[in-house]
Every structure is written in structure tokens, then in C-alpha cells.
Amino acid sequence: SAVISQKPSRDICQRGTSLTIQCQVDSQVTMMFWYRQQPGQSLTLIATANQGSEATYESGFVIDKFPISRPNLTFSTLTVSNMSPEDSSIYLCSVGGFDGYTFGSGTRLTVV
Amino acid sequence: AQSVTQPDIHITVSEGASLELRCNYSYGATPYLFWYVQSPGQGLQLLLKYFSGDTLVQGIKGFEAEFKRSQSSFNLRKPSVHWSDAAEYFCAVGAAIQGAQKLVFGQGTRLTINP
């Protein structure tokens, strides 16, 4: 299965600023997924990123708040924009399909 | 709509005791089912998956799960837990939603192990 390198692993940010999270995969993949895990909660899909096209966002998530880039088949970034304390969560990227999904180790974001 | 329910938010068992974590799903088609484990400060690790065939599937770390279509369940079991099994466990169903394959997660069950 694919190996994902996600960074940063954690960050503490001031409200109103933005943070860009990077995911690098060791093999070419068609789709990459971005999830949010709020404190004590389950994982919620933010968007699906296909190379060469606009990301597809889930209900409740918008591109202005969570812009995603997918410049090639092994890399993607998620930006959390104009952050507020409510954005404090773990953000994870994932690749795969129904034969099995692999997850990055996550980015623990604290907004103060 | 597809959904996953894990009825137990928190379970505590003694080391060496048996374990069963419950998972019920709602999905109209044949489900792809997964169990993931998340240790503190870690990402998610796949324990096991079910697509078809034998309804009792074996996973890593001594875990197994049984798919019961009549009960829409996919419960995770382990005959004897170890202190290192303390973690958060997530059941998930793979669903085709609007032409895309997506994972829908349950709320998670936090497992605590008593020495």
C-alpha cells in the first residue's frame, strides 16, 4: 500500500492566519482525500482532490475556506484559511479505494 | 443514506479479557467494510476489511470481524486484549456516492485497558 508523508505534524496558529498542509505519496494516485477530525469526533470528509481538475467539496466545506491544490499525481496541499479557534482539529489526507485506504499521520492544528 | 453506527462511545476491559466492538451500517448495496485503529497522536491504521466471500475476516494484531448481512453488522473481536490495544477504533463503510467512492466513518469507540 501507498506511504504518505504529511507535514507539518502539528502547529499552533494565530486566528486570522492561514496554514498549508502538505501530503506527499510515494506512488502515483488518481484521487486524494482530505479529512477533518474535530476534538473527540470522527473523521469528516472535506474534499476529494483529482489531479488536473477542481477539488470536489462536501456539504459544509467551501473552497474559499479550504483551498486545495493537486499539481501532480503524488502531491496535494490543503490550506485552512482565515483560521478561528473552531478550526482546531486534526487534518488527515488519504489515498486509496475500496481495496483499502491509507492515511497520513495527520496534522494537529491549534488556533489561538 | 449510508451511515455507520458504533453504539459504544467508550469501553473498558481488563488486560487479557476478550473484546467485541459493535458496528452497524446502513447501505443499500453490497458494503465494503473496514475497521481502523487510531492510537493517541497517530494516524489511522487499517485493521481489516471485508468485500465479499468468507464473512469472518482476519486482520492484523490478532483482530477479527464478522460480517452479518441479516443484522447489518460488522463487529470487531479479539480473544485477549493487550495494554497496547488501548486506542480509538473506527468502523467505516465504503460507499459509492454521486459516482465517487467515499468512506463514511462511525463515531468511534475509545478502548481503555485496565491492568
Side-chain angles (χ1 to χ4, degrees):
Chain A
S1 58
V3 176
I4 301 175
S5 175
Q6 183 174 344
K7 59 183 181 181
S9 59
R10 59 178 62 230
D11 208 341
I12 300 173
C13 300
Q14 297 291 323
R15 66 178 68 200
T17 63
S18 299
L19 175 71
T20 295
I21 302 167
Q22 300 179 2
C23 268
Q24 179 75 51
V25 189
D26 69 344
S27 58
Q28 293 185 340
V29 295
T30 304
M31 290 189 292
M32 294 181 73
F33 305 90
W34 287 97
Y35 288 85
R36 180 177 72 182
Q37 186 179 20
Q38 295 177 299
Q41 302 294 313
S42 186
L43 282 78
T44 301
L45 181 64
I46 298 172
T48 302
N50 290 331
Q51 193 270 334
S53 63
E54 291 281 335
T56 302
Y57 289 82
E58 298 299 306
S59 176
F61 297 96
V62 295
I63 188 171
D64 290 346
K65 177 66 176 178
F66 298 100
I68 289 172
S69 77
R70 184 79 203 275
N72 56 54
L73 290 172
T74 64
F75 187 79
S76 179
T77 67
L78 169 76
T79 298
V80 186
S81 303
N82 189 25
M83 289 183 285
S84 67
E86 292 70 35
D87 294 318
S88 297
S89 298
I90 299 173
Y91 293 85
L92 301 101
C93 62
S94 175
V95 301
F98 284 173
D99 58 341
Y101 292 85
T102 303
F103 288 81
S105 55
T107 297
R108 183 179 294 272
L109 170 62
T110 302
V111 183
V112 297
Chain B
Q2 50 286 326
S3 65
V4 178
T5 301
Q6 294 179 246
D8 305 305
I9 296 174
H10 185 203
I11 285 182
T12 300
V13 299
S14 298
E15 190 168 16
S18 63
L19 172 70
E20 182 169 28
L21 302 183
R22 296 183 290 165
C23 173
N24 293 97
Y25 68 90
S26 173
Y27 185 55
T30 300
Y32 292 76
L33 295 162
F34 307 85
W35 274 99
Y36 285 88
V37 60
Q38 186 179 37
S39 298
Q42 303 292 314
L44 273 73
Q45 181 181 23
L46 179 65
L47 285 175
L48 46 78
K49 58 191 177 187
Y50 172 78
F51 299 150
S52 64
D54 192 347
T55 56
L56 183 63
V57 294
Q58 302 296 320
I60 63 172
K61 303 184 179 186
F63 286 93
E64 67 178 26
E66 186 170 12
F67 170 61
K68 293 185 177 180
R69 184 184 298 275
S70 61
Q71 299 177 20
S72 297
S73 69
F74 189 56
N75 294 347
L76 182 72
R77 301 194 294 248
K78 186 169 184 178
S80 177
V81 298
H82 186 262
W83 65 266
S84 61
D85 293 323
E88 189 89 18
Y89 291 81
F90 293 97
C91 181
V93 62
I97 304 173
Q98 296 178 329
Q101 294 181 349
K102 300 179 181 179
L103 274 184
V104 177
F105 284 88
Q107 303 92 318
T109 297
R110 182 160 59 94
L111 176 64
T112 299
I113 307 295
N114 281 337

